[in-house]
Amino acid sequence: MTALGAARCPNLAGREGVVIGMGRYRSTVRVMFDGFRSATSLHSTYIEPVAGEDGPSSQDRR
């Protein structure tokens, strides 16, 4: 989570999860945190990619 996300949602600070889709609003994403049973909706500015983790590169998307 970003510093803003950790300040606004301290119970989620330090947790990792997977973005599973868009939320009801354009600025919202659904995140499935590790160990949680259901997804959580968060503002997109509250999350950031985990350092060192690479997603699919642009070369893989052909």
Side-chain angles (χ1 to χ4, degrees):
M1 294 193 71
T2 63
L4 176 62
R8 300 263 174 97
C9 304
N11 58 330
L12 299 176
R15 291 195 177 267
E16 291 184 11
V18 177
V19 174
I20 59 171
M22 301 301 295
R24 179 176 288 183
Y25 306 104
R26 277 190 252 191
S27 59
T28 308
V29 293
R30 302 279 294 159
V31 180
M32 186 69 169
F33 285 102
D34 298 339
F36 281 36
R37 289 184 180 193
S38 58
T40 304
S41 293
L42 291 173
H43 195 273
S44 59
T45 60
Y46 289 7
I47 62 170
E48 64 186 356
V50 176
E53 295 285 325
D54 290 335
S57 67
S58 59
Q59 294 176 350
D60 293 340
R61 294 185 230 152
R62 290 183 187 171

